[in-house]
Amino acid sequence: MRKFVKRMAFLVIVCLMSCSCVFAEEMSVPEGETNVDEYVSVDYVSDYLTKSGDKALCTVKLYEKTSLSSVRGTFHLMNVNGKKVATHTAALKDKGSVFIYQHTFNISKSGKYYVKYTIKTYKAGKLKDTVTGKTNSVE
């Protein structure tokens, strides 16, 4: 009887641990998305960088919580050593409840790159939020 109780207790503990791991995984932020709970006007940001030959396409999508009048960003193409290779500043295009940035950077065919960015959101000319993040790396 004692052996049975120990085995059942062990199974219950294993079950609870696996359930908590699954729950933690569901609550985590997916790769390529920035958790922005602390922001007033931003629901979440999705970003990625793709490479084709000597070009790197950076795409950043900012989903708004509240209506915004404009969104501007500064995007720095960085090499693996953290050195700025190129910088681009632009207004993100308003596509309803999402603002989109797409830009193609010229790069060398060899090397590892990522994009660091700072995005500022505005409503009626007043700064609402500043969001920073970085994309995945590409080789």
Side-chain angles (χ1 to χ4, degrees):
M1 181 69 172
R2 217 173 197 183
K3 229 180 201 180
F4 176 75
V5 171
K6 283 183 179 180
R7 285 185 182 166
M8 288 305 292
F10 176 75
L11 288 174
V12 168
I13 290 171
V14 168
C15 232
L16 288 173
M17 288 176 60
S18 65
C19 288
S20 66
C21 289
V22 168
F23 181 71
E25 185 176 319
E26 287 177 7
M27 296 301 293
S28 65
V29 177
E31 187 174 327
E33 291 185 4
T34 302
N35 187 3
V36 290
D37 287 339
E38 66 272 16
Y39 299 116
V40 175
S41 63
V42 180
D43 192 14
Y44 68 96
V45 177
S46 174
D47 57 49
Y48 55 92
L49 185 66
T50 56
K51 180 180 174 186
S52 178
D54 61 351
K55 306 279 185 208
L57 174 65
C58 176
T59 303
V60 178
K61 296 178 181 180
L62 182 138
Y63 296 85
E64 62 186 0
K65 278 184 192 173
T66 62
S67 181
L68 296 168
S69 54
S70 69
V71 178
R72 296 197 53 80
T74 302
F75 303 85
H76 303 287
L77 179 68
M78 311 290 284
N79 67 15
V80 72
N81 299 324
K83 181 182 174 198
K84 284 183 195 174
V85 176
T87 299
H88 187 247
T89 301
L92 281 71
K93 293 181 182 169
D94 186 356
K95 300 289 186 181
S97 63
V98 62
F99 285 82
I100 299 174
Y101 167 82
Q102 280 194 315
H103 181 73
T104 302
F105 291 97
N106 293 317
I107 58 173
S108 68
K109 288 186 180 182
S110 63
K112 192 171 186 178
Y113 300 93
Y114 64 93
V115 173
K116 249 171 72 167
Y117 57 85
T118 301
I119 299 172
K120 295 186 178 196
T121 65
Y122 300 89
K123 182 167 185 163
K126 293 185 179 181
L127 179 65
K128 288 296 187 184
D129 286 311
T130 301
V131 179
T132 59
K134 71 177 193 175
T135 65
N136 57 297
S137 298
V138 294
E139 276 187 79

